[in-house]
Amino acid sequence: MVETESVSEPDQHTQGAPEQIITRAGRPLHAMVLSGPPDSTAPTVVFEAGAAATRSSWGLVQPGVGRFARAVVYDRAGLGRSPADPAGRTLDRLAGDLLDVLDHFGSGPFVLVGHSAGGVIARLTASRVPDRIAGLVLVDPTDEAADLLFGPSFRRLERLGLAAHGALARLGLLSRMFRPMLNAVPADVRRDMEREAFAPEIVRTQAVQARTFLDELAT
Protein backbone atom coordinates (compact mmCIF):
# COMPACT_ATOMS: atom_id res chain seq x y z
CA MET A 1 0.00 0.00 0.00
CA VAL A 2 1.34 3.45 -0.91
CA GLU A 3 1.42 5.92 1.97
CA THR A 4 0.32 9.47 1.25
CA GLU A 5 0.85 12.60 3.30
CA SER A 6 -2.22 14.40 4.50
CA VAL A 7 -2.72 17.74 2.77
CA SER A 8 -5.10 18.99 5.45
CA GLU A 9 -2.45 19.16 8.18
CA PRO A 10 -1.20 22.73 8.76
CA ASP A 11 2.25 23.32 7.30
CA GLN A 12 4.95 24.09 9.87
CA HIS A 13 2.52 25.16 12.60
CA THR A 14 5.36 25.16 15.13
CA GLN A 15 7.35 27.75 13.20
CA GLY A 16 4.40 29.87 12.15
CA ALA A 17 3.00 30.91 8.81
CA PRO A 18 4.97 30.65 5.56
CA GLU A 19 6.00 33.88 3.88
CA GLN A 20 7.89 34.50 0.66
CA ILE A 21 10.55 37.18 0.56
CA ILE A 22 11.79 38.56 -2.77
CA THR A 23 15.34 39.86 -2.73
CA ARG A 24 16.39 42.97 -4.61
CA ALA A 25 17.84 40.60 -7.24
CA GLY A 26 14.42 38.97 -7.67
CA ARG A 27 15.22 35.66 -5.95
CA PRO A 28 12.63 34.15 -3.58
CA LEU A 29 13.56 33.21 -0.01
CA HIS A 30 11.30 31.03 2.11
CA ALA A 31 10.49 32.25 5.63
CA MET A 32 8.29 31.13 8.52
CA VAL A 33 6.87 33.78 10.85
CA LEU A 34 5.38 33.67 14.32
CA SER A 35 3.64 37.00 14.74
CA GLY A 36 3.92 37.27 18.53
CA PRO A 37 1.25 38.80 20.78
CA PRO A 38 -0.71 41.64 19.15
CA ASP A 39 0.23 44.16 21.85
CA SER A 40 3.95 43.33 21.83
CA THR A 41 6.42 46.20 21.58
CA ALA A 42 9.41 43.88 21.44
CA PRO A 43 11.81 44.06 18.46
CA THR A 44 11.35 41.56 15.65
CA VAL A 45 13.75 38.65 16.16
CA VAL A 46 15.34 37.24 13.00
CA PHE A 47 17.26 33.97 13.18
CA GLU A 48 20.29 33.22 10.97
CA ALA A 49 21.22 29.54 10.82
CA GLY A 50 24.66 27.93 10.58
CA ALA A 51 26.59 27.10 7.43
CA ALA A 52 24.47 24.23 6.07
CA ALA A 53 21.43 24.57 8.33
CA THR A 54 17.87 25.34 7.30
CA ARG A 55 15.30 27.43 9.14
CA SER A 56 14.23 24.27 10.97
CA SER A 57 17.41 24.26 13.07
CA TRP A 58 15.61 26.86 15.22
CA GLY A 59 12.60 24.59 15.75
CA LEU A 60 12.99 24.49 19.54
CA VAL A 61 13.94 28.15 19.98
CA GLN A 62 11.68 30.16 17.71
CA PRO A 63 8.37 29.10 19.38
CA GLY A 64 9.64 30.31 22.75
CA VAL A 65 10.61 33.70 21.34
CA GLY A 66 7.33 33.85 19.44
CA ARG A 67 5.43 34.01 22.72
CA PHE A 68 6.59 37.60 23.29
CA ALA A 69 7.88 38.91 19.93
CA ARG A 70 7.56 38.42 16.19
CA ALA A 71 10.03 35.64 15.40
CA VAL A 72 11.30 35.02 11.86
CA VAL A 73 13.25 32.07 10.50
CA TYR A 74 14.23 31.74 6.86
CA ASP A 75 16.17 29.58 4.44
CA ARG A 76 19.21 31.15 2.83
CA ALA A 77 19.52 30.63 -0.91
CA GLY A 78 20.18 26.98 -1.75
CA LEU A 79 18.96 25.72 1.63
CA GLY A 80 15.58 24.32 2.63
CA ARG A 81 12.88 25.72 0.36
CA SER A 82 14.86 28.63 -1.08
CA PRO A 83 16.31 28.14 -4.56
CA ALA A 84 20.03 28.46 -5.10
CA ASP A 85 21.75 31.73 -5.92
CA PRO A 86 23.39 31.34 -9.36
CA ALA A 87 25.85 34.15 -8.58
CA GLY A 88 27.47 32.35 -5.64
CA ARG A 89 27.54 32.71 -1.86
CA THR A 90 30.03 35.35 -0.84
CA LEU A 91 29.69 37.03 2.55
CA ASP A 92 28.54 40.17 0.80
CA ARG A 93 25.67 38.32 -0.88
CA LEU A 94 24.79 36.43 2.32
CA ALA A 95 24.55 39.68 4.26
CA GLY A 96 22.69 41.29 1.37
CA ASP A 97 20.04 38.58 1.52
CA LEU A 98 19.62 39.03 5.28
CA LEU A 99 19.26 42.77 4.75
CA ASP A 100 16.52 42.04 2.19
CA VAL A 101 14.80 39.89 4.83
CA LEU A 102 14.89 42.81 7.26
CA ASP A 103 13.54 45.19 4.61
CA HIS A 104 10.65 42.82 3.99
CA PHE A 105 9.62 42.99 7.65
CA GLY A 106 9.86 46.74 8.07
CA SER A 107 12.22 49.30 9.51
CA GLY A 108 12.84 47.50 12.77
CA PRO A 109 14.06 47.47 15.39
CA PHE A 110 15.46 43.96 15.01
CA VAL A 111 17.36 41.52 17.13
CA LEU A 112 19.56 39.25 15.01
CA VAL A 113 20.32 35.77 16.32
CA GLY A 114 23.15 33.98 14.51
CA HIS A 115 24.56 30.50 15.04
CA SER A 116 28.06 29.48 13.93
CA ALA A 117 28.66 30.96 10.45
CA GLY A 118 25.32 32.70 10.84
CA GLY A 119 26.92 34.82 13.54
CA VAL A 120 29.30 36.29 10.97
CA ILE A 121 26.41 37.05 8.60
CA ALA A 122 24.41 38.67 11.40
CA ARG A 123 27.35 40.84 12.48
CA LEU A 124 28.10 42.01 8.94
CA THR A 125 24.45 42.85 8.32
CA ALA A 126 24.19 44.71 11.62
CA SER A 127 27.25 46.78 10.71
CA ARG A 128 25.45 47.98 7.58
CA VAL A 129 22.26 49.13 9.32
CA PRO A 130 23.23 49.72 12.98
CA ASP A 131 20.35 52.14 13.56
CA ARG A 132 17.86 49.33 12.87
CA ILE A 133 19.47 46.73 15.15
CA ALA A 134 18.43 46.58 18.81
CA GLY A 135 20.70 43.66 19.65
CA LEU A 136 22.77 40.71 18.54
CA VAL A 137 22.69 37.20 19.99
CA LEU A 138 25.60 35.05 18.82
CA VAL A 139 25.37 31.32 19.51
CA ASP A 140 28.76 29.56 19.24
CA PRO A 141 29.73 32.00 16.48
CA THR A 142 32.52 31.43 13.98
CA ASP A 143 35.40 33.60 15.17
CA GLU A 144 37.90 35.25 12.86
CA ALA A 145 40.36 35.31 15.78
CA ALA A 146 40.46 31.48 15.86
CA ASP A 147 43.72 30.77 14.02
CA LEU A 148 42.83 27.08 13.76
CA LEU A 149 40.24 27.89 11.09
CA PHE A 150 42.80 29.23 8.66
CA GLY A 151 45.46 26.51 8.74
CA PRO A 152 45.91 23.87 6.02
CA SER A 153 44.80 21.06 8.34
CA PHE A 154 41.37 22.59 8.88
CA ARG A 155 40.96 23.22 5.14
CA ARG A 156 41.73 19.57 4.40
CA LEU A 157 39.28 18.39 7.06
CA GLU A 158 36.64 20.71 5.63
CA ARG A 159 37.09 19.28 2.12
CA LEU A 160 36.98 15.70 3.44
CA GLY A 161 33.88 16.47 5.49
CA LEU A 162 32.07 17.97 2.53
CA ALA A 163 32.95 14.98 0.36
CA ALA A 164 31.77 12.52 3.03
CA HIS A 165 28.55 14.42 3.68
CA GLY A 166 27.88 14.65 -0.05
CA ALA A 167 28.25 10.89 -0.45
CA LEU A 168 26.00 10.19 2.54
CA ALA A 169 23.40 12.66 1.26
CA ARG A 170 23.31 10.99 -2.15
CA LEU A 171 22.78 7.63 -0.44
CA GLY A 172 20.02 9.06 1.75
CA LEU A 173 22.04 8.35 4.91
CA LEU A 174 23.12 11.80 6.09
CA SER A 175 20.11 12.26 8.36
CA ARG A 176 21.20 9.27 10.45
CA MET A 177 24.12 11.30 11.79
CA PHE A 178 21.63 13.77 13.23
CA ARG A 179 19.05 11.34 14.59
CA PRO A 180 19.29 12.60 18.22
CA MET A 181 18.54 16.14 17.05
CA LEU A 182 15.65 14.96 14.88
CA ASN A 183 14.17 13.06 17.81
CA ALA A 184 14.27 16.19 19.98
CA VAL A 185 12.33 18.59 17.75
CA PRO A 186 8.54 18.88 17.22
CA ALA A 187 7.03 16.44 14.73
CA ASP A 188 6.34 19.02 12.00
CA VAL A 189 9.90 20.36 12.22
CA ARG A 190 11.29 16.82 12.08
CA ARG A 191 9.31 16.06 8.92
CA ASP A 192 10.62 19.20 7.23
CA MET A 193 14.20 18.45 8.25
CA GLU A 194 13.96 14.89 6.97
CA ARG A 195 12.70 16.17 3.62
CA GLU A 196 14.93 19.20 3.23
CA ALA A 197 17.90 19.45 5.58
CA PHE A 198 19.99 16.48 4.42
CA ALA A 199 19.57 16.53 0.65
CA PRO A 200 22.55 16.63 -1.73
CA GLU A 201 21.62 20.19 -2.68
CA ILE A 202 22.29 21.30 0.89
CA VAL A 203 25.84 19.96 0.78
CA ARG A 204 26.40 21.58 -2.61
CA THR A 205 25.35 24.94 -1.17
CA GLN A 206 27.67 24.43 1.79
CA ALA A 207 30.53 23.70 -0.62
CA VAL A 208 29.79 26.88 -2.58
CA GLN A 209 29.85 28.91 0.66
CA ALA A 210 33.09 27.23 1.74
CA ARG A 211 34.91 28.33 -1.41
CA THR A 212 35.14 31.91 -0.19
CA PHE A 213 33.94 32.03 3.42
CA LEU A 214 37.20 31.48 5.30
CA ASP A 215 39.24 33.62 2.92
CA GLU A 216 36.80 36.49 3.39
CA LEU A 217 36.69 35.94 7.14
CA ALA A 218 40.48 36.11 7.32
CA THR A 219 40.46 39.55 5.74
Side-chain angles (χ1 to χ4, degrees), residues 1-7 9:
M1 182 175 66
V2 177
E3 295 184 357
T4 59
E5 185 178 351
S6 172
V7 296
E9 182 177 353

Side-chain angles (χ1 to χ4, degrees), residues 5 13 45-47 63-64 87 96 104 108 121 135 149 152 164 183 185 188 202:
E5 185 178 351
H13 57 82
V45 181
V46 180
F47 294 87
H104 177 86
I121 300 166
L149 294 175
N183 290 338
V185 297
D188 61 318
I202 297 290

Side-chain angles (χ1 to χ4, degrees), residues 9-25:
E9 182 177 353
D11 182 42
Q12 270 286 40
H13 57 82
T14 298
Q15 293 189 279
E19 193 154 338
Q20 187 180 73
I21 298 163
I22 303 299
T23 70
R24 67 196 73 189

Side-chain angles (χ1 to χ4, degrees), residues 151-161:
S153 296
F154 184 87
R155 300 292 182 107
R156 285 194 295 270
L157 286 173
E158 183 179 53
R159 288 194 296 270
L160 287 172

Side-chain angles (χ1 to χ4, degrees), residues 165-176:
H165 283 189
L168 290 171
R170 289 190 294 274
L171 293 170
L173 300 175
L174 185 58
S175 63
R176 295 188 183 183

Side-chain angles (χ1 to χ4, degrees), residues 2-198:
V2 177
E3 295 184 357
T4 59
E5 185 178 351
S6 172
V7 296
S8 61
E9 182 177 353
D11 182 42
Q12 270 286 40
H13 57 82
T14 298
Q15 293 189 279
E19 193 154 338
Q20 187 180 73
I21 298 163
I22 303 299
T23 70
R24 67 196 73 189
R27 291 178 287 105
L29 298 174
H30 178 76
M32 303 294 296
V33 184
L34 288 171
S35 59
D39 58 347
S40 175
T41 59
T44 295
V45 181
V46 180
F47 294 87
E48 185 71 48
T54 69
R55 70 195 183 281
S56 298
S57 64
W58 299 107
L60 288 175
V61 181
Q62 185 203 14
V65 173
R67 288 196 288 268
F68 61 85
R70 182 167 61 170
V72 179
V73 294
Y74 81 104
D75 292 322
R76 290 197 302 273
L79 302 175
R81 299 182 189 177
S82 295
D85 178 2
R89 293 279 77 196
T90 63
L91 268 176
D92 179 69
R93 292 186 73 79
L94 292 166
D97 281 0
L98 178 53
L99 184 56
D100 289 340
V101 172
L102 302 188
D103 288 344
H104 177 86
F105 289 102
S107 59
F110 297 97
V111 170
L112 304 183
V113 183
H115 172 240
S116 188
V120 179
I121 300 166
R123 286 169 49 207
L124 180 56
T125 304
S127 73
R128 295 180 175 181
V129 288
D131 56 316
R132 298 170 64 187
I133 306 302
L136 283 171
V137 179
L138 305 178
V139 184
D140 191 22
T142 302
D143 185 358
E144 63 269 26
D147 293 338
L148 177 66
L149 294 175
F150 307 107
S153 296
F154 184 87
R155 300 292 182 107
R156 285 194 295 270
L157 286 173
E158 183 179 53
R159 288 194 296 270
L160 287 172
L162 286 168
H165 283 189
L168 290 171
R170 289 190 294 274
L171 293 170
L173 300 175
L174 185 58
S175 63
R176 295 188 183 183
M177 295 177 58
F178 298 89
R179 185 57 54 187
M181 179 178 70
L182 290 170
N183 290 338
V185 297
D188 61 318
V189 177
R190 182 170 63 251
R191 286 192 298 270
D192 276 357
M193 294 186 80
E194 288 172 341
R195 286 193 297 256
E196 303 165 4
F198 308 105

